[in-house]
Amino acid sequence: MLKGAVAQRYAQALYDLAEAQGLVDQVERELRAVNQVIADSREFQKVLYHPRITEQEKKDVLKSIFSGKISPITENFLFLLVDRHREAFLSDIVAHYSSLADRARNIVKAEVTSAIELTKEEKQKLGEVLNKIARKKVQTAYSVDPALIGGVVVRIGDRVIDGSLRTRLAALREHLRQIS
């Protein structure tokens, strides 16, 4: 089974369970925290992903680190992943779970790339425009790419709004090439 399909299935199952218990936000926070702890510790990764370490030993390590710090639903989910040898998919599961939670909250993520750093006011105005375009609450991540020359490029899901000077110049160059 493909990595994405596995992550999507497990994330959906956990989301449905968390939603039924009214714990969607709490489970998301806990999953992100667990994922971060694993990502930050090379030794923990070696133990968790090593094929010769038994499931029970892995669960004991998880229990010793996270017991009392995460809800039973999250803890049992981690144990399920270990039992099914799916612990390596945790970061993808967390990403899918977060996207399911965001969809339920009517939130969409956008990537904004600009030629220069945008001011706080410009970011606020752009955010308002993006909220209207998407008809959802937009969470934006900003980056700078001087190769754009001017303007911005916005990616919301699979939609791209390209208002960069580089693209306009390329279009003008192509138009001049065609008429000459």
Side-chain angles (χ1 to χ4, degrees):
M1 192 179 291
L2 296 171
K3 181 179 177 179
V6 169
Q8 205 166 6
R9 252 191 202 166
Y10 279 85
Q12 185 67 56
L14 179 61
Y15 179 82
D16 293 342
L17 186 61
E19 184 180 40
Q21 295 182 17
L23 298 172
V24 172
D25 295 338
Q26 179 182 345
V27 169
E28 182 180 16
R29 283 191 306 274
E30 293 171 351
L31 283 174
R32 286 179 187 262
V34 168
N35 195 40
Q36 190 62 50
V37 168
I38 294 169
D40 290 346
S41 174
R42 191 76 180 127
E43 293 79 27
F44 191 20
Q45 291 174 22
K46 287 179 183 177
V47 170
L48 195 59
Y49 303 142
H50 198 286
R52 290 209 175 145
I53 296 177
T54 67
E55 288 86 7
Q56 189 57 50
E57 290 170 323
K58 291 178 182 182
K59 287 196 256 185
D60 289 343
V61 169
L62 286 167
K63 193 173 209 83
S64 70
I65 294 172
F66 298 113
S67 185
K69 297 175 185 159
I70 59 175
S71 63
I73 187 173
T74 305
E75 186 175 57
N76 290 332
F77 181 73
L78 294 173
F79 293 164
L80 175 72
L81 292 180
V82 169
D83 287 338
R84 301 258 173 101
H85 306 284
R86 300 288 196 228
E87 57 271 18
F89 296 106
L90 181 62
S91 62
D92 294 317
I93 293 169
V94 172
H96 281 286
Y97 184 93
S98 292
S99 70
L100 290 169
D102 283 346
R103 189 176 323 144
R105 294 181 201 116
N106 207 25
I107 294 173
V108 66
K109 295 192 184 317
E111 298 172 18
V112 177
T113 307
S114 59
I116 59 170
E117 184 70 32
L118 298 176
T119 66
K120 188 175 182 178
E121 298 84 35
E122 290 170 329
K123 288 178 180 179
Q124 182 182 356
K125 287 178 184 177
L126 182 59
E128 291 170 3
V129 170
L130 293 176
N131 286 336
K132 288 178 185 174
I133 290 172
R135 294 188 182 119
K136 295 182 179 190
K137 185 175 184 325
V138 178
Q139 289 182 340
T140 53
Y142 295 94
S143 62
V144 175
D145 180 5
L148 294 179
I149 304 171
V152 296
V153 176
V154 179
R155 286 181 179 78
I156 303 176
D158 59 353
R159 285 175 47 187
V160 176
I161 304 167
D162 192 342
S164 68
L165 190 54
R166 177 180 63 187
T167 301
R168 290 183 183 176
L169 288 172
L172 179 61
R173 184 181 322 120
E174 185 59 32
H175 177 71
L176 291 173
R177 194 175 295 151
Q178 287 177 357
I179 61 171
S180 60

